[in-house]
Structure formats: C-alpha cells, structure tokens
Amino acid sequence: MSKAATVADHLAERLIEWGVDTIFGFPGDGINGIFEALRTRQDKLRFIQVRHEEAAAFAACGYAKYTGRLGVCLATSGPGGIHLLNGLYDAKCDGQPVLAITGHTFHDLIGTHYQQDVDLDKLFIDVAAYNQRVMGPAHVVNVVDEAIKTSLTRRTVSHITIPKDIQEWTKSEDERSSANIANHSGDLFASPHPVPAESILRRAADLINKGSKVVMLVGRGCLNAREEVLALAEAAGAPVVKALLGKAVIPDRNPYAIGGTGLLGTAPAQDALQECDTLIIAGSGFPYMEFYPKPGKAKTVQIDLDPARIGLRHPAEVGLIGDCRTVLRALQPLIEPKKDRSFLEKAQKSMAAWNELMEKRGTRSDMPMKPQVVTWNLNKLLDSDAIVSSDSGTIATWSARYIEMRDRMQFSLSGSLATMGNGLPYSIGAAVAYPGRQVVCVVGDGGLTMLLGEIATLVKYNLPVKVIVIKNNVLGEIKWEQMAQEGNPQFGVELQPIDFAGYARCCGAAGFTIENPKDAESVLRAALAHPGPAVVEAVVDPNEPPLPGNISGEQALKFAEAMAKGEKDRWKIIKTILEDKIREVI
Ligand SMILES: Cc1ncc(C[n+]2csc(CCOP(=O)(O)OP(=O)(O)O)c2C)c(N)n1
Ligand SMILES: [Mg+2]
C-alpha cells in the first residue's frame, strides 16, 4: 500500500486475513470507498456483481451452505442495504454464517434527512446478531474481527455499516483513543467441539437400546456426519428420515434411507415417524410438528449444537450438545446392535413401493407434461457431485422427491424462511465456489421471475449453471394451498407467461424448451452438456397437485369444498388426481 491506507483498505485487508476471497454485491455511491479497496485487490478478493442486492445475500448464503465458509455480501447505503434483507433473513433462519457490509451517508449528516440517510444498523437490528457502525480508522479491524467471529460461532448474520466519508479516512495514530491498543484483536476462530459427559451419553444409549422401533431424523447439522449416521442406524436398526436441509446427509438409495419428512416427504417416512417408540433427532429443527410422533409416544434423544434448541419441536428425554459428528461418534460404542430388524425391514419394504410409485409418476407420457417427469429425468443425468438448489413452491416437492442424493451431491433450498427466488442465486454462490462442478437449480416460474436479471450474472461470469424452470404459469403452491388448506377456489395466482428460453438467449445464455415428455431426457442431456449457462424451460401441467405422501382426511374434505365452491379447473384437477389414483381426495 503506497498511499496512506483508508478505512476501506483496512476492511479489505482484514477480510483477506480472515480467508475471505469472494464478495457478492452491487455498487452505489455509498460504498465507492470500499469499491476502490476492492479494485486494488482483485487478485485476492473477487467481487461478483449481481443484478439485485437480494441475490447478493442469497448467493452469500448459498456459498456458505455449500462450502461451510463465511459468505460475504456488500450493498450501498439506503436502498441497497434494504434489498439485502430477505437474503440475510434466509441465512439467519437456516443458520448460515454471512457477513453483510453496507455504506451509510456522510457521518456528519446522519439524522438530517440527507440523501440515502437510512440507519441500516437500526434496520438490521433483528436480522444481525452482530451489528455495528464503523466510526473511524482505529475502529474497523476490531469490528471486522467481532463480526466474523460472531457469524462463525453462532452460525448467523453479522452486519457492518460504514459511513461513506469514513470509508476514505486514513489512519493516524493520534485519532486512536488511549484505550484502544493497536493490534489488540485477533483473527482466529477456534471452533467448539464439546463432547457430552459420559453419564449423559449412557442415558441416551440406554434409551436407544431399550427401544424396539427406533427412527433417526437427521437435518443439516449432520451434513458432515454421513458415516456416523449410518453406523448408528445400522446398530439401532433404525430407518433414517431426512429433513430437507439434510437431504445430502445420506444417499437416497441407501438401505437405511426412507426419504424426507413433511408435506413434501415420503409416505414411509411419515409412517415410521408415527409408529416409532424411540426417536433420535440429530441436527434438525424441522418445523412442522404434526409430522413428529405425538408427544409422549416416542422416547427422544436430541443432538444439537445449541442447547436452546433441545425440546423445540418435540419433547426430549435426553439432550446431547455438540457437533453431531462428534456426538454420534461418542455415542456409537454404547449402542448394542439390535437383533430384531423387523421395524427397519417394514420401512424398507414400503420405501421400495414408494420408489416404484415415483418411477410410475416420473415416467408418465401424458400431455401436458407432468412436472415430475422433468425432475425424474434430470435425476438420472446428474453428476455424482452435482450441487442442486431449489426454490419454495411445488418445485420443492418435485426436487425433494425425485432428485436423489448420490455420493458427493449437495442440495439446498430456503428451509426455515421458505422464500422464493433463492435457487438461482444459491447456484451463483455454488458455481463461484466450485468451478468445474455441475451446478443446477430447479425453480418455479414465479420464483425465477423475481430475480430474472441474475441470468445476466451467469453470462457475465460465464458460470455454467443450468436453470431448470418448471413453467406452469401459476404460483402453484399457493393455488393448492388455497384449495387443500382453505377449501377455496384459486385466486390471484395465475402468472402472465414468459418465454424463459427466449429471455435466456437475449441475455447470452443458451435457452432450451421441453413440452413433450418424450423429449425430456434428450433436451436435458443437451442442456447439461452445454458448456456455458443455460435455461431449460419445461412447460408442465398446472393441474398436477403436490400431494402429501399420505393425504389426510381433512385435506381431502377441503379439496372437495374448493371444487364445490366453483374452482374453475375442477374437472382437470379431478382427472389428474384420479389418474394419480388418490381416490380418497374426491
Ligand atoms: C418471497 C416470497 N413471496 C411469497 C411466498 C409465498 N409462496 C410460497 S410458494 C409460492 C408459489 C411459487 O410459485 P412458483 O415459483 O411458480 O412455483 P410453483 O409453486 O408454481 O412450482 C408463493 C407465492 C414466498 N414463500 N416467498
Ligand atoms: Mg409456477
């Protein structure tokens, strides 16, 4: 650094010292000082310019999810920072370490209705666990250290805002307060690895050893614990149910895997959770309580990093605190191999039937094409280390059920926030982090439209992401909710159709269209083989409902109510459901 170092220079240098090499963001006059620091360090700190700050926050969250490292996003004062919020909440809700950096107006005009005078540090008070305004050159390094340590330790969002003029202030020792000793703060993150006390492990093991119908429910906290999960499942004769954020914990065709839980899960998983007498919840905060065993029915051991999460959704007899991998390793030697495998075998049998049903649905040849046909065919073509992202909507169901995890594949979507629009920016984060790996997102036409400009980001950086858009010209999930949960005909959910393949070509990406099921495999194959970014527009039947694995009587009644109230697509829907042979619905 030949010229005197600015606050922005110190910020950038400290980020580099922390190992940050990528920042997702969008420029603005409130962060020009920071941009100069980035411009002069492009060899060490990559700036990825997205088209909407929300995408920057999503990309940082996706980057954190797929790499396990800190994700960083940057936005200007006022509107830029405001645009980050949804993506930051996504990171907070799914426990991802993300640092947001924003600008503020001139330090001596804050609070005077000046241009872009939005106190982002006040606005971010709920989303950010660490949230500070940098006051000068001697303040920046220690604030960066605290922000990063907070994000990594608590697996959450931190936020630093720096007034526009302060970004360019240079350091002079006499501006430093006497209390603030230079170089006092450190850039080391020492991650905690607690192992529960032997007596508590023993209580957990006793409970599992006594159980005759043991089920494991594993979530994102087990993503680094495949071997450990499988070893315990084997010993306890336990089928493994995966919360969706934990989809990659074990491969879907592993004999212990019985699919996902919740509305978009599988019938065998739902049955096993209702029938079990012993439940091991490992690294999951899966939200929907109706899918857990009825309180009091199953003795429960819960493993979580955070003691506050024990007993969150289901009462637990024993709570084991720590990283799932470490805890499962410590627990394993205390588990007596279960001789009676009948509960597991029953679940395996019904899983085989479920897989057959999925095949039947995924290979249907009717027109309009069923959405499952797209994900069924995509699944067959994915690499064994593909990174797949999805969005909220019916697409989450099609992805959850048909995209099977194999080997080193990774999968995510917006779990707890369940926002739309995250799929494509997650893929940007993944493709930037892992050049050479296959990166795919399966998104809805509603969700994709929200951040459609990001197709241009793929082209700008030649990120070979494949965007599979399930085009049903409707906000499908809400259409079905209006009918099956409320008993009302659909309203306000139809979408003006967009030519997504044409749009992709306008941006400089490849555009493909599939309308006929018989073309699905060949078009997807061609798209995946395309060396650059590509959009595959799959035109599907808007009347294919994402039915739960086991449909409840109440849902069936509500459905019937919606039809009786004059749902305009009722005959097409009835036909679809009849074809799916879920007769109890009508
Ligand atoms: C930002 C945001 N707005 C609204 C919702 C409510 N919502 C959940 S799913 C959904 C429909 C998604 O439609 P689309 O992307 O077309 O997927 P589809 O359900 O048709 O497969 C909506 C509106 C949401 N989750 N997030
Ligand atoms: Mg749609």
Side-chain angles (χ1 to χ4, degrees):
M1 282 185 270
S2 52
K3 65 179 177 56
T6 64
V7 165
D9 286 324
H10 288 295
L11 166 76
E13 285 298 319
R14 198 56 163 179
L15 290 174
I16 293 166
E17 279 161 13
W18 270 101
V20 172
D21 58 17
T22 306
I23 297 183
F24 302 93
F26 194 81
D29 70 322
I31 45 174
N32 277 341
I34 298 174
F35 268 69
E36 178 57 10
L38 296 182
R39 185 187 71 80
T40 50
R41 289 176 180 77
Q42 293 171 64
D43 52 332
K44 294 187 213 133
L45 208 44
R46 210 169 13 166
F47 172 68
I48 304 291
Q49 179 221 66
V50 294
R51 292 301 185 102
H52 190 300
E53 290 86 352
E54 181 177 291
F58 279 144
C61 179
Y63 181 92
K65 283 186 167 186
Y66 293 128
T67 62
R69 297 171 61 194
L70 180 76
V72 183
C73 55
L74 170 64
T76 194
S77 47
I82 295 168
H83 269 177
L84 287 179
L85 270 177
N86 194 43
L88 294 181
Y89 269 101
D90 182 39
K92 173 188 159 106
C93 292
D94 279 355
Q96 297 305 314
V98 167
L99 170 65
I101 302 166
T102 62
H104 202 324
T105 194
F106 296 93
H107 85 285
D108 50 0
L109 288 173
I110 290 173
T112 66
H113 313 290
Y114 195 66
Q115 192 84 353
Q116 297 190 336
D117 183 6
V118 178
D119 284 338
L120 294 174
D121 45 350
K122 290 183 188 152
L123 183 66
F124 284 30
I125 211 158
D126 179 57
V127 75
Y130 183 88
N131 184 26
Q132 287 298 334
R133 189 183 291 180
V134 168
M135 306 290 282
H139 193 210
V140 62
V141 168
N142 30 354
V143 164
V144 170
D145 287 350
E146 289 312 300
I148 293 181
K149 279 185 286 185
T150 304
S151 271
L152 294 174
T153 312
R154 298 206 217 151
R155 306 195 52 80
T156 191
V157 173
S158 290
H159 170 233
I160 299 172
T161 191
I162 315 181
K164 174 182 165 61
D165 52 337
I166 290 182
Q167 291 164 26
E168 295 180 47
W169 286 4
T170 51
K171 194 171 188 168
S172 88
E173 280 307 309
D174 47 38
E175 281 168 14
R176 181 177 281 282
S177 64
S178 59
N180 183 1
I181 307 295
N183 305 320
H184 72 269
S185 102
D187 61 354
L188 175 71
F189 170 61
S191 84
H193 276 288
V195 183
E198 184 69 27
S199 57
I200 304 175
L201 287 168
R202 168 56 55 203
R203 271 175 48 211
D206 286 349
L207 199 141
I208 296 166
N209 289 337
K210 274 195 206 115
S212 57
K213 295 175 180 174
V214 184
V215 168
M216 291 182 78
L217 169 62
V218 301
R220 66 181 164 82
C222 288
L223 284 171
N224 64 346
R226 179 177 290 179
E227 262 176 48
E228 290 75 8
V229 165
L230 287 175
L232 186 61
E234 189 182 348
V240 179
V241 176
K242 299 185 285 184
L244 194 48
L245 290 177
K247 186 167 171 62
V249 172
I250 63 170
D252 278 290
R253 292 290 172 141
N254 183 282
Y256 291 93
I258 57 166
T261 181
L263 279 175
L264 34 66
T266 66
Q270 212 170 322
D271 292 342
L273 279 170
Q274 294 312 315
E275 284 170 28
C276 67
D277 62 15
T278 308
L279 176 63
I280 303 165
I281 305 173
S284 174
F286 172 72
Y288 302 110
M289 282 152 266
E290 63 269 33
F291 290 93
Y292 288 83
K294 295 214 169 26
K297 180 158 188 308
K299 300 258 185 267
T300 299
V301 172
Q302 186 178 350
I303 308 170
D304 206 288
L305 262 184
D306 181 359
R309 296 278 173 129
I310 300 295
L312 179 67
R313 315 283 185 211
H314 187 264
E317 272 69 25
V318 186
L320 300 174
I321 304 308
D323 179 53
C324 288
R325 187 175 189 203
T326 313
V327 174
L328 288 169
R329 277 191 185 173
L331 184 60
Q332 174 68 34
L334 308 179
I335 303 299
E336 294 155 9
K338 221 164 276 299
K339 288 196 189 72
D340 180 0
R341 316 295 280 185
S342 55
F343 182 64
L344 172 68
E345 281 158 12
K346 183 177 160 207
Q348 286 170 332
K349 216 184 250 169
S350 64
M351 196 56 200
W354 176 265
N355 284 334
E356 263 172 42
L357 180 68
M358 291 300 101
E359 173 156 9
K360 221 183 253 169
R361 300 258 170 90
T363 51
R364 287 175 62 161
S365 57
D366 18 359
M367 290 285 286
M369 180 167 63
K370 300 291 177 189
Q372 299 93 316
V373 173
V374 183
T375 39
W376 166 266
N377 280 287
L378 177 65
N379 178 52
K380 288 192 296 184
L381 301 170
L382 290 173
D383 289 349
S384 58
D385 65 349
I387 304 174
V388 184
S389 305
S390 188
D391 260 8
S392 298
T394 64
I395 50 256
T397 301
W398 314 135
S399 310
R401 292 192 182 151
Y402 290 87
I403 306 296
E404 293 180 336
M405 294 295 105
R406 294 178 289 272
D407 201 13
R408 291 203 311 117
M409 282 170 75
Q410 287 177 279
F411 176 92
S412 202
L413 81 178
S414 170
S416 294
L417 186 64
T419 178
M420 294 163 69
N422 64 289
L424 171 54
Y426 271 23
S427 289
I428 293 174
V432 166
Y434 297 109
R437 260 172 91 172
Q438 192 179 55
V439 177
V440 176
C441 56
V442 180
V443 296
D445 41 5
L448 178 60
T449 313
M450 286 182 166
L451 290 174
L452 197 50
E454 301 309 327
I455 302 290
T457 307
L458 299 183
V459 176
K460 180 177 172 111
Y461 295 99
N462 194 23
L463 301 173
V465 171
K466 308 300 181 265
V467 180
I468 317 296
V469 52
I470 304 293
K471 179 170 160 174
N472 52 8
N473 298 323
V474 69
L475 299 167
E477 186 70 28
I478 305 304
K479 163 178 164 168
W480 297 111
E481 282 173 10
Q482 288 175 346
M483 284 187 263
Q485 287 175 13
E486 313 292 336
N488 294 329
Q490 60 175 296
F491 176 70
V493 290
E494 280 166 316
L495 293 172
Q496 179 63 29
I498 292 177
D499 173 2
F500 291 103
Y503 174 85
R505 289 191 284 269
C506 286
C507 292
F512 298 81
T513 301
I514 319 171
E515 288 193 67
N516 194 319
K518 70 176 168 41
D519 303 327
E521 184 176 340
S522 60
V523 175
L524 285 167
R525 194 184 289 282
L528 290 174
H530 179 74
V535 173
V536 180
E537 171 187 75
V539 183
V540 304
D541 184 359
N543 292 313
E544 177 68 13
L547 293 169
N550 285 337
I551 190 153
S552 74
E554 197 195 346
Q555 285 157 339
L557 279 176
K558 293 280 185 194
F559 234 94
E561 210 178 305
M563 305 292 170
K565 276 191 194 167
E567 166 57 46
K568 72 176 176 48
D569 289 333
R570 60 187 176 278
W571 295 115
K572 288 185 204 146
I573 293 167
I574 287 169
K575 179 171 172 281
T576 303
I577 291 169
L578 266 176
E579 283 160 359
D580 283 347
K581 296 198 174 46
I582 301 186
R583 289 171 189 281
E584 61 270 36
V585 176
I586 46 168

